[in-house]
Amino acid sequence: MSSEIPTDHIYLSPPNSTMAIVSLVAGILGLTILPLIGGIVALYTGYSARREIEDSYGELGGEGYATAGIVMGWISLALVGIGCLCAACSAIIGFSIFGISSSQFGLLLAALI
């Protein structure tokens, strides 16, 4: 009985693309503390990583990281858009309830700045 381990069936995965890892990290940051910037960076680096992985013909891995970063980037940007829409609706409703006209809003804004 031999104690040697056969090495002919060992499969090593290719190294992950750096852009794919950056996309994943940016996507996580986009969902937590940097919504707009993180989302944009996640999308840009995710699509770049996908192209880089495809052009490497198997030399690079990390397509799952790139896809996760892209998905988180789109979710982050969607949440930013929904937040802006809610803020605008709240402002319009608030102005109509309290009877603030556009000229009064300008004065109010100037006073705050």
Side-chain angles (χ1 to χ4, degrees):
M1 225 171 161
S2 175
S3 63
E4 293 181 24
I5 299 173
T7 59
D8 56 346
H9 297 321
I10 294 177
Y11 174 74
L12 298 175
S13 62
N16 290 324
S17 165
T18 304
M19 295 288 275
I21 296 170
V22 170
S23 175
L24 180 67
V25 171
I28 293 170
L29 290 175
L31 289 176
T32 55
I33 58 175
L34 298 170
L36 186 62
I37 296 170
I40 292 170
V41 170
L43 288 173
Y44 178 76
T45 56
Y47 285 118
S48 295
R50 271 191 176 173
R51 194 174 322 109
E52 179 184 38
I53 292 167
E54 187 177 298
D55 291 343
S56 74
Y57 297 108
E59 295 289 322
L60 287 175
E63 188 171 351
Y65 293 159
T67 301
I70 290 169
V71 169
M72 286 188 280
W74 280 117
I75 291 172
S76 172
L77 291 181
L79 291 174
V80 167
I82 290 170
C84 289
L85 189 64
C86 287
C89 289
S90 296
I92 291 169
I93 292 170
F95 294 150
S96 65
I97 289 174
F98 295 112
I100 299 175
S101 67
S102 60
S103 62
Q104 291 172 334
F105 175 70
L107 293 172
L108 179 66
L109 191 61
L112 291 175
I113 294 175

